Amino acid sequence: MAARSRKNKTTEIFALGNEAVVEGALIAGCTFYAGYPITPSTEIAEEMASRLPHLRGGAFIQMEDEIAGLGAVIGASLAGRKAMTATSGPGFSLMQEHIGYASITEVPLVLVNVMRAGPSTGMPTNPAQGDVQQARWGTHGDHPIIVLSASDVQECLRMTVTAFNYAEKYRTPVILLLDEITAHTREKISLPDPEDINIYTRLTPSMPPEWYMPYEDNMRGVAAMPPLGAGYRYHVTGLIHDDHGYPTSNPREVEHIMHRLFRKIDQFFYDIQMVDEIQCQDAEICIIAYGCVARSAELAVQQARERGVRAGLLKLKTLFPFPRPAVEKMLRQCSNVVVPEMNMGQMSREIKRVNATQSKIITLNRVDGQIITPGQILSKILKG
Amino acid sequence: MTRKKGESKVKVFLDWCKGCGICAAFCPNKVLSVDKQGKVRVDREDDCINCGFCEIHCPDFAIMVYPKDERTPFEANIDDVAPATREELHRIRNSNST
Amino acid sequence: MSNDLHLDRFEVRLSGLGGQGILTLGRIMGQALALDHGYEVTQTQSYGPEARGGASRCDLVISTGKISYPKTICLDLLVSLSQEACNKYFGDLKTEGFLLVDTSLVGQTPTNIFWGLPFTTMAQKVGLVQTTNIVALGALTHFIPFMRATSVRKSLKEILPQKIVDINIKAFNSGFNRAKKEYPEAPEKWKFS
Amino acid sequence: MAKVTQLIHNYLRHSKRFPHVFCPGCGHGIVLGSLIRSIHSMGLAKDDVVLVAGIGCSGRIPVYVDFNTIHTTHGRALTFATGIKLANPRLKVIVIMGDGDALSIGGNHLIHAARRNIGVTALVLNNHIYGMTGGQSSCTTPMGSFSTTTPFGQLEDEFDISRVTKVCGASFVARTTVMQASAMDSMISEAVMHPGFGLVEILSPCHTQYGRKNRFKTCVDMYKWLQKSSTPLEKYRELSPEKQEKAIATGIFEKRDCEGLEDKYARMRKSLRGES
């Protein structure tokens, strides 16, 4: 457990990114963790194993594999718990089946994927950002999903809380993408007073059980969700289902549910979109980055400005739904946009897709298991 | 629970019956058979000893065996909503013809 | 004086062999600087099979303001508790940076300008060779002008298990006092931007 | 007996269309009836029962019955059940799986559920074949039997579900067939009431896919075969090895008291929290 010191009423700790995830989860009200150990996400499981049994009703279980881990998390969430798991590349691939299940059955859960270099076993202890598109489209079929990222330890805590809030609010799995660097960096963070943090907990039905419809289409597109055993007996299935939860292949009903699933995320896009604009106001050249690379970029921006180049950084905290308006704004403003990422261009293809203004998109890809350095980004900025 | 012949009625929900024939094959007294339509027919209701086999082995919950003198819910209100019994119909028809 | 020192990316690398407690050393130091001295600190380390047995390293970036890039770029201070680590990482040191080595294990320093103390031998004298890292921590507390001994001792007590605290405090003091005696002027040599 | 069918009807979902999707003569309906009767006999409230199923014919069972029902992914039902039980130990979690579901794709989960003795009840409906996908061989297809993927006869040896589960440490293991519906009722009740992991293997014939390819002309033939070959454990033990080959042992293979994982965890939590 990370050490604590109390200063000015806020508690400060010197913690790993992975430990900060646990702090965030506990603040958000998480009482259930199931998973399978995998580097570099293991500290999350270890910390949960020692913390959860101290909570009223808290439970941790190490399952036989990642598929089982996410299965148990879905089960616990159906039983009314705020539940999460954490994994890395190979485990994330195994979990895809259940991400799809949670999407179609609209089960809230948080999945932290600490990205390592891949594909396959790859380099377990080296960072990468190769799971970005897999997080969005990894499971088969069209499905709604929210993908967030964090770039420093304090953000690991904040984004975990946010991930739980989104999951509960929109009844959807939320994936938090970290990388080996962010997860394994130790930094000072302040633990917020839980009273100061907005915690959202899923709506439960308040109507007689006979009238409850588990997948009712209401104004929000998100139906209330009772815990198992509360008197609202309904059917949960991975088959496409109607508003009552029963399997259907009626084209009208199928279209209805698929469109609702997308609408429930789309219509709250501005609630979900999170970006940080760092020195963007007067920027002539913009860097768009996320995760640990955003930290390199921040230093590169500072160094560029010292040399008289007006650079700015758009840090993406929400990766999907893709923060198109914020990106488009920078594309309009800057004729040159640098996109550094530790993959072969998984996010830059999204940026190119929305590049209506024909700005020059300069990609900077690194897949050797090393972080992109500020120097590399700076040279791209200076070359233009 | 009666085990005597002639004390039970057998009801088959034909909409639910798929005619698998398990009930007919294992009925100790050959009360049931499968007809040409592929549905179970009650041939010899009076031979039923209410052994219970068909009820618990019908995969489709389509057979009910119950005491002859008892009305079951699905026929409980028939008398109330159907004003005329067979005898009454006869009487009406006869009275019309005269 | 030292606690108010303004720092802009002061970078330290602690290196040595796996099993020497390099990571613990980094964690105690990082925690003391972050929580007690109030600096921003990022501590990163190499993980995985390479961290077992062979070379081990732990990097700290210390700054007064927010730290963007969490890894080291150019080292201000390299601490090497093994010859191999010293050879491997010396090239990452700034020209005006300092090198601190365990002279019991590092026989050939790549430069004549270095600080050296026999940490391993000193730990043996304390009575437990496993306290080598803490002896080094004591010395570091002297060499680094913005680190306070009281805070480091406090952080040490928080992180280490109760039953080994006493001997480690002893080890810490031995390193701190020896460094002070042999290199009394060392803390004055730093130039901070 | 008079109220049996009526009682079952009371537990079915009135909003679902009947008859159910199973083929004529499929034993899965009998199992559902048996499960309802045993839950009724134990006096469990509908709200307290969670039925979790995997994929395949057996996976279609829960939707018809008015409990908390969850139709999960192929082979993973036990993982969901583990999460539910640990999250809310008050619930009675019953898992319905097929043979391919439980032993092939879900084999890993089954052996670990048995090992960790989580307090859920698994009903494995063994029909020796993949029914829903059209009669491919499963890990329980007997050697020499025919299926669409073993057109010249199965060469591999089959899994003995009960034996596998027993050696993995399950504290309650039993086998029955759909021909012994009354015995099945009490066996399911016993398994549900048993603390820790319980498994009941139920032989439920698939005439459509298995029977027709293996010299059973009608589904009734399959039921007669089950009736003939199922032998209570005590009698089975006295049979000669040749006769044992052809017989199916039924009964309770394992029953020992063993605290369920969820109870152990609750105990640990209490002691950590300083509650007695």
Side-chain angles (χ1 to χ4, degrees):
Chain A
M1 205 190 300
R4 279 137 207 280
S5 90
R6 280 184 80 82
K7 268 184 191 167
N8 313 325
K9 286 180 189 167
T10 60
T11 306
E12 286 187 333
I13 63 170
F14 188 58
L16 286 176
N18 279 341
E19 290 167 350
V21 166
V22 175
E23 297 293 344
L26 298 182
I27 290 170
C30 171
T31 55
F32 190 96
Y33 182 100
Y36 187 80
I38 180 167
T39 305
S41 73
T42 327
E43 291 86 359
I44 299 178
E46 289 170 347
E47 189 74 1
M48 281 292 192
S50 60
R51 298 281 289 277
L52 281 174
H54 292 280
L55 297 179
R56 191 154 49 86
F60 166 91
I61 186 166
Q62 182 174 323
M63 296 298 284
E64 52 273 16
D65 57 30
E66 284 89 348
I67 302 171
L70 194 52
V73 164
I74 296 173
S77 184
L78 284 167
R81 298 299 193 89
K82 288 189 179 180
M84 73 169 286
T85 188
T87 190
S88 177
F92 191 54
S93 296
L94 286 179
M95 284 179 179
Q96 293 301 331
E97 178 187 22
H98 281 166
I99 294 174
Y101 184 89
S103 296
I104 188 70
T105 54
E106 299 177 63
V107 174
L109 62 90
V110 171
L111 195 172
V112 178
N113 174 15
V114 183
M115 293 181 284
R116 52 148 98 166
S120 191
T121 313
M123 288 182 279
T125 54
N126 289 54
Q129 297 179 318
D131 303 352
V132 173
Q133 291 293 345
Q134 192 195 11
R136 177 62 194 94
W137 295 113
T139 194
H140 59 278
D142 291 299
H143 60 278
I145 199 109
I146 297 175
V147 183
L148 309 177
S149 79
S151 60
D152 61 38
V153 179
Q154 186 75 52
E155 232 174 60
C156 285
L157 186 152
R158 282 284 174 175
M159 293 309 269
T160 308
V161 175
T162 309
F164 270 100
N165 282 350
Y166 288 165
E168 296 283 318
K169 207 169 180 180
Y170 303 118
R171 284 189 65 175
T172 178
V174 176
I175 295 169
L176 174 59
L177 288 182
L178 303 181
D179 44 72
E180 193 273 334
I181 304 249
T182 311
H184 278 166
T185 295
R186 226 177 256 281
E187 267 181 301
K188 174 171 66 183
I189 58 168
S190 57
L191 295 181
D193 189 339
E195 308 253 312
D196 299 341
I197 285 201
N198 179 28
I199 303 293
Y200 192 96
T201 302
R202 71 190 73 163
L203 279 179
T204 49
S206 82
M207 59 179 82
E210 293 78 13
W211 281 267
Y212 171 64
M213 275 206 278
Y215 299 100
E216 184 186 18
D217 186 9
N218 53 26
M219 287 298 284
R220 296 171 59 236
V222 186
M225 183 180 174
L228 293 172
Y232 296 84
R233 299 182 299 275
Y234 67 105
H235 188 60
V236 181
T237 176
L239 291 165
I240 303 286
H241 42 259
D242 60 18
D243 288 0
H244 295 273
Y246 296 140
T248 181
S249 49
N250 175 331
R252 196 173 43 80
E253 289 173 343
V254 175
E255 194 191 7
H256 176 73
I257 182 179
M258 292 311 290
H259 283 179
R260 178 176 63 76
L261 288 179
F262 276 82
R263 174 162 53 84
K264 79 174 178 183
I265 303 295
D266 289 348
Q267 72 184 0
F268 293 102
F269 177 81
Y270 283 96
D271 179 41
I272 302 168
Q273 173 190 262
M274 285 180 298
V275 293
D276 275 354
E277 291 178 356
I278 297 158
Q279 312 217 50
C280 279
Q281 208 140 32
D282 62 341
E284 286 170 339
I285 180 161
C286 176
I287 308 167
I288 301 180
Y290 52 94
C292 65
V293 177
R295 300 187 73 165
S296 308
E298 203 177 332
L299 187 55
V301 165
Q302 189 191 323
Q303 290 167 344
R305 289 212 170 230
E306 281 161 12
R307 291 166 196 229
V309 179
R310 291 219 298 268
L313 165 65
L314 180 70
K315 183 165 92 177
L316 308 182
K317 291 152 96 177
T318 305
L319 301 186
F320 295 103
F322 182 62
R324 183 172 186 153
V327 171
E328 278 177 340
K329 187 181 142 207
M330 292 322 291
L331 286 169
R332 277 194 301 271
Q333 182 183 326
C334 305
S335 53
N336 286 353
V337 172
V338 182
V339 188
E341 47 184 341
M342 286 154 72
N343 56 49
M344 290 305 279
Q346 298 195 16
M347 199 38 106
S348 64
R349 65 183 290 153
E350 297 288 330
I351 295 163
K352 284 174 186 162
R353 186 169 61 82
V354 300
N355 182 21
T357 51
Q358 299 301 311
S359 299
K360 188 176 168 195
I361 305 222
I362 303 156
T363 56
L364 171 49
N365 307 111
R366 188 162 186 183
V367 287
D368 61 352
Q370 300 300 314
I371 185 171
I372 295 177
T373 61
Q376 284 180 303
I377 300 172
L378 183 65
S379 70
K380 285 278 180 185
I381 294 173
L382 297 181
K383 268 189 223 158
Chain B
M1 190 202 297
T2 175
R3 285 272 170 171
K4 277 189 193 159
K5 282 187 190 179
E7 290 183 359
S8 304
K9 279 192 280 187
V10 182
K11 168 78 182 171
V12 178
F13 296 109
L14 291 180
D15 277 357
W16 288 20
C17 173
K18 291 173 187 158
C20 65
I22 298 171
C23 55
F26 293 95
C27 177
N29 280 7
K30 303 272 174 275
V31 174
L32 304 159
S33 67
V34 182
D35 66 16
K36 282 180 187 162
Q37 305 292 321
K39 298 281 180 180
V40 164
R41 195 171 62 196
V42 185
D43 287 336
R44 292 201 287 266
E45 194 170 59
D46 283 345
D47 285 353
C48 173
I49 56 163
N50 192 15
C51 71
F53 183 94
C54 59
E55 269 197 300
I56 64 170
H57 288 91
C58 173
D60 291 283
F61 321 119
I63 305 181
M64 274 175 78
V65 182
Y66 55 101
K68 213 159 201 172
D69 50 6
E70 193 177 291
R71 284 198 309 195
T72 55
F74 54 84
E75 59 177 17
N77 294 325
I78 289 177
D79 288 353
D80 305 334
V81 294
T85 61
R86 192 171 287 235
E87 290 80 46
E88 279 172 331
L89 282 174
H90 259 286
R91 212 176 51 236
I92 295 165
R93 198 180 295 154
N94 290 345
S95 66
N96 278 356
S97 65
T98 50
Chain C
M1 55 135 215
S2 56
N3 49 332
D4 299 326
L5 211 48
H6 181 90
L7 297 179
D8 181 24
R9 291 194 74 88
F10 183 85
E11 301 185 353
V12 185
R13 175 165 300 162
L14 311 167
S15 63
L17 298 167
Q20 278 180 323
I22 300 292
L23 303 187
T24 315
L25 167 59
R27 202 174 146 198
I28 296 169
M29 190 172 147
Q31 183 163 317
L33 288 167
L35 300 185
D36 276 297
H37 297 77
Y39 287 113
E40 295 297 326
V41 179
T42 60
Q43 181 225 311
T44 53
Q45 57 208 49
S46 60
Y47 270 85
E50 62 173 289
R52 290 187 197 119
S56 170
R57 79 176 218 218
C58 174
D59 292 354
L60 292 156
V61 179
I62 305 141
S63 205
T64 305
K66 193 171 166 271
I67 299 168
S68 50
Y69 184 61
K71 296 239 160 196
T72 51
I73 300 168
C74 226
L75 301 173
D76 292 279
L77 172 63
L78 171 66
V79 181
S80 290
L81 302 192
S82 82
Q83 182 70 54
E84 190 191 338
C86 186
N87 299 348
K88 192 170 172 186
Y89 299 125
F90 179 70
D92 297 339
L93 196 59
K94 275 183 193 168
T95 27
E96 66 272 35
F98 289 97
L99 172 68
L100 171 63
V101 299
D102 179 354
T103 46
S104 10
L105 296 177
V106 182
Q108 302 160 308
T109 47
T111 165
N112 287 331
I113 308 158
F114 69 96
W115 296 325
L117 288 172
F119 298 129
T120 308
T121 322
M122 288 162 73
Q124 278 160 346
K125 271 188 200 151
V126 168
L128 191 67
V129 73
Q130 282 88 343
T131 60
T132 305
N133 56 343
I134 306 299
V135 176
L137 178 67
L140 274 168
T141 310
H142 169 70
F143 286 118
I144 299 177
F146 50 86
M147 255 168 93
R148 285 191 306 256
T150 45
S151 303
V152 182
R153 282 197 198 97
K154 187 173 154 236
S155 162
L156 205 140
K157 283 177 194 160
E158 276 170 5
I159 290 179
L160 294 179
Q162 191 57 45
K163 55 181 179 185
I164 57 164
V165 164
D166 284 346
I167 192 152
N168 277 290
I169 293 285
K170 212 173 136 194
F172 177 85
N173 293 340
S174 126
F176 184 70
N177 294 333
R178 177 90 177 258
K180 212 170 172 177
K181 199 173 124 207
E182 292 197 18
Y183 298 96
E185 280 160 22
E188 319 296 326
K189 300 201 177 204
W190 295 96
K191 287 182 214 77
F192 294 104
S193 52
Chain D
M1 279 295 161
K3 306 288 183 197
V4 173
T5 304
Q6 249 170 298
L7 177 119
I8 292 173
H9 292 174
N10 283 339
Y11 280 84
L12 298 180
R13 281 201 166 119
H14 298 181
S15 44
K16 275 303 288 181
R17 274 178 81 80
F18 281 87
H20 48 53
V21 295
F22 304 113
C23 303
C26 174
H28 288 18
I30 305 178
V31 177
L32 176 56
S34 179
L35 176 64
I36 289 171
R37 290 192 300 273
S38 70
I39 283 170
H40 182 80
S41 72
M42 288 182 277
L44 297 176
K46 288 178 183 178
D47 281 332
D48 292 344
V49 178
V50 183
L51 217 54
V52 187
I55 295 292
C57 294
S58 63
R60 293 302 189 100
I61 290 179
V63 71
Y64 294 106
V65 61
D66 190 18
F67 300 130
N68 301 289
T69 57
I70 302 165
H71 179 209
T72 68
T73 48
H74 196 24
R76 323 292 180 206
L78 277 169
T79 70
F80 289 71
T82 303
I84 294 166
K85 187 68 181 178
L86 212 54
N88 186 353
R90 191 179 56 84
L91 298 170
K92 291 284 178 197
V93 185
I94 299 164
V95 183
I96 299 182
M97 293 175 287
D99 45 323
D101 204 24
L103 264 292
S104 292
I105 185 166
N108 195 23
H109 309 307
L110 180 74
I111 63 179
H112 286 281
R115 174 186 62 79
R116 62 168 64 102
N117 205 34
I118 182 82
V120 305
T121 310
L123 308 181
V124 180
L125 277 54
N126 182 0
N127 60 8
H128 307 296
I129 202 103
Y130 284 93
M132 186 155 278
T133 43
Q136 296 77 22
S137 74
S138 84
C139 60
T140 55
T141 303
M143 201 190 276
S145 300
F146 298 96
S147 72
T148 54
T149 48
T150 55
F152 313 110
Q154 168 70 293
L155 303 177
E156 301 168 11
D157 214 342
E158 71 198 87
F159 257 139
D160 181 332
I161 298 177
S162 296
R163 214 166 81 193
V164 169
T165 320
K166 190 180 156 180
V167 300
C168 290
S171 54
F172 183 94
V173 182
R175 185 194 285 141
T176 184
T177 77
V178 291
M179 265 308 280
Q180 285 97 21
S182 304
M184 179 163 43
D185 292 7
S186 53
M187 225 173 247
I188 294 175
S189 303
E190 212 171 324
V192 171
M193 284 316 188
H194 187 81
F197 185 74
L199 177 135
V200 184
E201 177 188 356
I202 301 162
L203 297 188
S204 169
C206 175
H207 165 254
T208 311
Q209 304 294 4
Y210 182 78
R212 287 186 307 158
K213 292 183 191 73
N214 291 285
R215 291 187 292 278
F216 293 103
K217 271 189 173 165
T218 65
C219 71
V220 170
D221 291 341
M222 290 211 78
Y223 281 83
K224 284 186 173 158
W225 162 72
L226 275 184
Q227 193 179 38
K228 204 177 81 191
S229 46
S230 63
T231 320
L233 195 58
E234 306 78 51
K235 277 192 188 165
Y236 179 84
R237 289 198 180 114
E238 292 164 8
L239 295 178
S240 63
E242 301 86 68
K243 281 189 177 163
Q244 278 187 347
E245 278 286 280
K246 288 189 177 157
I248 301 163
T250 59
I252 296 171
F253 299 112
E254 179 77 4
K255 190 185 177 184
R256 65 193 150 79
D257 268 346
C258 196
E259 195 180 22
L261 176 71
E262 69 285 359
D263 293 332
K264 278 190 197 169
Y265 201 92
R267 220 154 30 81
M268 174 180 80
R269 196 162 48 205
K270 266 190 173 179
S271 75
L272 283 173
R273 287 168 60 82
E275 299 160 7
S276 54

